[in-house]
Amino acid sequence: MSNTETTPTSGTGPGATGSRTTDPLATDLVATLAATLDEATLGRHTTDRPTDTTDLDVPTAYRVQRAVIERRVARGESLIGVKMGFTSRAKMSQMGVDDVIWGLLTDTMLIEEGGLLDRSGLIHPRIEPEIAFLIGSPLSGTITPAEAVRAIAGVAVAYEVLDSRYADFDFTLPDVIADNASASGFGVGTWHHPDALDLGNLGMLVEIDGRPVATGSSAAILGNPLRSLIAAARLAAEAGLELRPGWVVLAGAATAALPLPKGAHVRVSAAGLGRAEVTTR
Ligand code: OOG
Ligand code: MG
């Protein structure tokens, strides 16, 4: 499918190959690692970290991530957006990494608002509160905050369900990039008009079964989630992609992620944006 194909570019970002000629050994490694990670997701089991046995670098890890998504697209899924990772200190220190990364979102990852999530389909899921953007016009490359704002069709409170394919969520940066930034699922509340509020400091809350379990602020996301959207546009250009109208951009978690238990009702809210809810079984 054309929207997952890239023109390789130089640099270190998601589309970078690291060299102009594609190394056949690396190509083989990319396909093998992608198959292993994809099969771990389908089989609901963990797998070894690639960096334990290979010297996987960041550009090659992004090629693995893309190959994982291409396998999913070949099964009928479609690309519907991107998720930013490690855009907050809370997440960087929880996971022990310190670089902003991205992962790709497909339609089967979207959890219906207020819907049910069958936890038995997952390995060891976690949930985290996020801000989501709905893209209204194409974005790619270096953009100003004003350009970012103009391209937004909506903003919403959201949650992300993470499910690392590595034991104990223990990984290095290339490992987690190859594993599509631990993406598993996400849900989005009601879209709001982007002009309606200043996104720079919205109080955010996670409740499980009515009990507050985490509080934070949208300021935790790079000082303002808008900066995460600007970073997403930059990464899109590096990957030879554009953020397309109708796509969702998850800006990254405002707090550390929480274990997602079975039989739980989770509500994530942000001041002025309402809430997003999911029940697990
Ligand atoms: C990696 C994904 C990080 C975020 O919002 O910072 C992420 C992980 O924590 O396993 O999604
Ligand atoms: Mg996240």
Side-chain angles (χ1 to χ4, degrees), residues 83 85-86 91 95 128 130 160 162 169 171 181-182 252-253:
K83 55 154 288 180
F86 309 129
K91 285 292 305 186
M95 308 315 294
E128 54 189 20
E130 305 229 358
E160 182 176 18
L162 298 172
F169 277 79
F171 45 63
S182 308

Side-chain angles (χ1 to χ4, degrees), residues 25-51:
L25 271 180
T27 302
D28 214 41
L29 174 70
V30 166
T32 305
L33 293 176
T36 303
L37 285 161
D38 188 39
E39 281 157 19
T41 306
L42 291 170
R44 300 157 195 176
H45 60 76
T46 58
T47 184
D48 294 341
R49 293 174 302 196
T51 59

